[in-house]
Amino acid sequence: MSPQPKATHGYISDKEKYLARLKRIEGQARGIHRMVDEDQYCIDILTQISALTSALQKVALGLLDDHLKTCVVDAARAGGPAADEKIKEASDAIMRLVKS
Amino acid sequence: MSPQPKATHGYISDKEKYLARLKRIEGQARGIHRMVDEDQYCIDILTQISALTSALQKVALGLLDDHLKTCVVDAARAGGPAADEKIKEASDAIMRLVKS
Amino acid sequence: MSPQPKATHGYISDKEKYLARLKRIEGQARGIHRMVDEDQYCIDILTQISALTSALQKVALGLLDDHLKTCVVDAARAGGPAADEKIKEASDAIMRLVKS
Amino acid sequence: MSPQPKATHGYISDKEKYLARLKRIEGQARGIHRMVDEDQYCIDILTQISALTSALQKVALGLLDDHLKTCVVDAARAGGPAADEKIKEASDAIMRLVKS
């Protein structure tokens, strides 16, 4: 990406893909705002909210997979309390995703 | 909003509240885009995605409640096939929300 | 079903279908218990839990649809505070389903 | 448990806790079956289904945490294609949980 890459968090390989998806998600959020502003039909707005939620979920699952493949694997190899902490952190993030 | 209000879909009473929430949701989406762009820590990004998903869910449940209170109640009173259709439409929207 | 039907809650027409599905769900729960008892592979157990969750969700969405079609429609027609209460009750149930 | 323990899948330390929870879940499923059979109020049945879904989710998140702590960490340390496969398997299970 840049001539002097700074330390990254492992998902950099797909960064452009994530940025494009998140750009689209921003556009979807803006579209829902407009639908409410224009008094569009409630059920159509709900359909767009479900689509946006699914798109967000897909980004989250992708980031989580990248995180397991890189940070968690690295921490597991390094071992020690830092590894336990990384696993706990990942489990907590999974719990928030499942519950949200 | 406008001097000659057009026919609306029932959630108009809280329209300003929804618009404000959706503005905030747009900002959250933009913030997540920036976090990825700045290579922030994956788990922190996932936390923000869970928060955004919860905010969206809250908007959806509010809109659905408004929809049941107005369109569905009106259709039930009018009766006939239109009432059945409104219920089916609402059930389908609920299914998409539960599954998304 | 019976010569002197008692007052029911509207989903009676599909009662046999629900009972059969719930019987199967009970069997799935028993199967998951056995998998843990036999130390089966964690991922396989998780797959069965996801299947059971989906089966439960399907029952819940079916019951909710029946409820909207009968109790909520009847209450809407009757009107008054009881109608508002039925809608609130349904919205709360939907919220619990979406969040669970 | 047995005089000659066989190889297990890592969650054995909490096995009794999981078995007790799953026993309770089976009882909850049986209770929901009875509620439908007795024509109990739909909303009350939905409340019990939400409670059962939450209980299942808790078991799933616990098993997944145990799985990450043991199988996935071991595989990460061993390295090679088996490690990648374990991560993929875990990510797929997480996806099914989030979507179910």
Side-chain angles (χ1 to χ4, degrees):
Chain A
M1 300 305 117
S2 97
Q4 297 112 316
K6 42 188 175 142
T8 60
H9 289 295
Y11 53 81
I12 195 74
S13 65
D14 278 329
K15 193 171 157 175
E16 294 309 315
K17 184 189 72 189
Y18 285 120
L19 290 176
R21 283 198 200 167
L22 287 164
K23 215 62 196 161
R24 217 155 36 231
I25 281 169
E26 235 185 285
Q28 285 175 279
R30 201 157 34 239
I32 294 167
H33 185 278
R34 190 177 50 242
M35 289 177 89
V36 171
D37 197 30
E38 294 173 355
D39 299 316
Q40 289 191 32
Y41 186 45
C42 178
I43 295 289
D44 295 336
I45 301 175
L46 290 176
T47 301
Q48 292 309 311
I49 293 180
S50 293
L52 175 43
T53 305
S54 294
L56 270 173
Q57 219 173 54
K58 219 174 145 185
V59 168
L61 290 169
L63 287 175
L64 185 65
D65 183 52
D66 288 348
H67 180 70
L68 292 176
K69 274 181 193 147
T70 52
C71 295
V72 171
V73 164
D74 290 348
R77 281 177 190 156
D84 298 344
E85 207 193 298
K86 283 285 170 211
I87 297 285
K88 187 172 171 2
E89 206 183 53
S91 282
D92 289 350
I94 293 164
M95 194 195 66
R96 283 190 299 268
L97 284 180
V98 169
K99 290 192 180 296
S100 75
Chain B
M1 295 320 107
S2 99
Q4 297 111 320
K6 44 189 174 137
T8 60
H9 289 295
Y11 54 81
I12 195 74
S13 65
D14 278 328
K15 193 170 158 176
E16 293 309 316
K17 182 188 74 186
Y18 286 120
L19 289 176
R21 282 197 200 168
L22 286 164
K23 216 58 194 164
R24 216 154 37 229
I25 282 169
E26 236 185 284
Q28 286 176 279
R30 202 157 32 239
I32 293 167
H33 185 277
R34 190 178 49 242
M35 289 177 90
V36 171
D37 197 29
E38 294 174 354
D39 299 316
Q40 288 191 33
Y41 187 46
C42 178
I43 295 290
D44 294 336
I45 301 173
L46 291 176
T47 301
Q48 293 309 311
I49 293 179
S50 293
L52 175 44
T53 305
S54 293
L56 272 171
Q57 221 172 52
K58 219 174 145 184
V59 168
L61 291 168
L63 288 173
L64 185 65
D65 183 52
D66 287 348
H67 181 70
L68 292 176
K69 274 181 194 148
T70 52
C71 296
V72 172
V73 164
D74 291 348
R77 282 176 191 157
D84 298 343
E85 206 193 300
K86 282 286 172 212
I87 297 284
K88 188 173 170 0
E89 206 183 52
S91 282
D92 289 349
I94 294 164
M95 193 196 67
R96 283 191 300 270
L97 282 181
V98 169
K99 290 192 180 297
S100 74
Chain C
M1 295 313 113
S2 98
Q4 297 111 318
K6 43 187 172 139
T8 60
H9 288 294
Y11 53 82
I12 196 75
S13 65
D14 278 327
K15 191 171 161 176
E16 295 308 316
K17 183 188 73 186
Y18 286 120
L19 289 176
R21 281 198 201 168
L22 286 164
K23 214 64 196 159
R24 213 152 42 228
I25 281 169
E26 234 186 285
Q28 285 175 280
R30 200 157 35 240
I32 293 167
H33 185 278
R34 189 177 50 242
M35 289 177 90
V36 171
D37 197 30
E38 294 174 353
D39 299 315
Q40 288 190 32
Y41 187 47
C42 178
I43 295 290
D44 295 337
I45 301 174
L46 291 176
T47 301
Q48 292 310 311
I49 293 180
S50 293
L52 175 43
T53 305
S54 293
L56 272 172
Q57 220 172 53
K58 219 174 146 184
V59 169
L61 291 168
L63 288 174
L64 186 65
D65 183 53
D66 287 348
H67 181 70
L68 292 176
K69 273 182 194 147
T70 52
C71 295
V72 171
V73 164
D74 291 348
R77 283 178 190 154
D84 298 343
E85 207 193 300
K86 283 286 173 212
I87 297 283
K88 189 175 170 1
E89 204 182 56
S91 283
D92 289 349
I94 294 164
M95 194 196 66
R96 282 191 300 269
L97 282 181
V98 169
K99 289 192 180 296
S100 73
Chain D
M1 292 320 106
S2 97
Q4 298 111 317
K6 45 189 171 139
T8 60
H9 288 294
Y11 52 81
I12 195 76
S13 65
D14 278 330
K15 192 171 160 175
E16 293 309 316
K17 184 189 70 186
Y18 286 120
L19 290 176
R21 282 199 201 166
L22 287 164
K23 214 63 195 162
R24 212 151 43 228
I25 282 169
E26 235 185 284
Q28 285 175 280
R30 200 156 35 238
I32 294 166
H33 185 278
R34 190 178 48 243
M35 289 177 90
V36 171
D37 197 30
E38 294 173 355
D39 298 316
Q40 288 190 32
Y41 187 46
C42 177
I43 295 290
D44 295 336
I45 302 175
L46 290 176
T47 301
Q48 292 310 311
I49 294 180
S50 293
L52 175 43
T53 305
S54 293
L56 270 172
Q57 221 173 51
K58 218 173 146 184
V59 168
L61 290 169
L63 288 174
L64 185 65
D65 183 52
D66 288 348
H67 181 69
L68 292 176
K69 273 182 194 147
T70 52
C71 295
V72 171
V73 164
D74 290 348
R77 283 177 190 157
D84 298 344
E85 207 194 298
K86 283 286 172 210
I87 296 284
K88 189 174 169 0
E89 206 183 54
S91 282
D92 289 349
I94 294 164
M95 195 195 66
R96 284 191 298 269
L97 283 180
V98 169
K99 290 190 179 299
S100 75

